[in-house]
Amino acid sequence: MLRLYSYFRSSAAYRVRIALNLKGLDYQTVAVHLLRNGGEQRSAEYRQANPQGLVPFLETEQGGIGQSLAILEYLEELYPTPALLPADPFLRAKVRAFALHIACDIHPLNNLRVLQHLTGTLGISEDAKLAWIQRWIADGFRALEDELSRQTHRGPYCFGEQLTLADVCLVPQWFNAERFQCELNPYPRLAVAVKVCRDLEAFKAASPARQLDAE
């Protein structure tokens, strides 16, 4: 059985939970608390399994895989149904670019270890930290909203009628935006995709509130 090392509020782990659920895969969740005892992800025991010291981390029969996008691609290749990437090569690249914009350009700037460095090492205030988070999410969401407004493939999801990795990555980042009190009215196209996805059981079951380690 697949084993997913996860933290309920990690948006990167949230992405993987969604994909596992969409593909109907059985998996065991191992909770890694990112705050308790200085962060369980920093423990020697966890780093023995995952030297990166991050979540998510997926254990398979062949070994472990870190980084959420790598895990998502692995699941897509090994379990291609339902497909989370379009068949058309150009559209497939567009979906990947959308997902990577979230995973590489938006999310890292409001990741826990970055925020801890801002308030701890650099000594910025909580208000300044919140402004930092809101600024980078807004920058990213503006670009994604503009991207979707240019799409010729209309439908309930980000890229038309097919649910893709774009949606899988968007919903957790939207959760982060809500958590950090971002203004979301300027992104109506993103909001439509989020609402449709949140009505699906695979997304509901993956939500932070439904995890055993939820606080």
Side-chain angles (χ1 to χ4, degrees), residues 12 26-27 31 65 67 109 111 120 124 137 150 164 170 186 209 211:
D26 289 330
Y27 65 98
I65 306 169
Q67 294 295 331
L109 290 169
N111 187 273
I124 74 168
I137 291 179
R150 302 181 186 195
T164 69
L170 173 61
Q211 304 315 299

Side-chain angles (χ1 to χ4, degrees), residues 136-148:
W136 295 115
I137 291 179
D139 275 11
F141 275 9
R142 276 195 297 269
L144 295 179
E145 181 73 18
D146 186 48
E147 174 67 32
L148 294 193

Side-chain angles (χ1 to χ4, degrees), residues 103-126:
C104 300
D105 292 325
I106 302 176
H107 173 247
L109 290 169
N110 53 76
N111 187 273
L112 175 63
R113 58 182 178 168
V114 171
L115 301 182
Q116 288 177 333
H117 183 75
L118 289 174
T119 56
T121 306
L122 300 183
I124 74 168
S125 69
E126 288 296 319

Side-chain angles (χ1 to χ4, degrees), residues 32-73:
V32 180
H33 201 291
L34 301 187
L35 297 173
R36 186 179 297 140
N37 299 322
E40 293 176 352
Q41 75 279 14
R42 297 187 175 97
S43 70
E45 180 182 5
Y46 184 66
R47 284 185 176 271
Q48 183 65 30
N50 179 14
Q52 293 181 11
L54 301 169
V55 294
F57 184 70
L58 186 70
E59 279 191 352
T60 75
E61 292 182 356
Q62 294 174 290
I65 306 169
Q67 294 295 331
S68 64
L69 268 293
I71 295 170
L72 294 176
E73 292 275 1

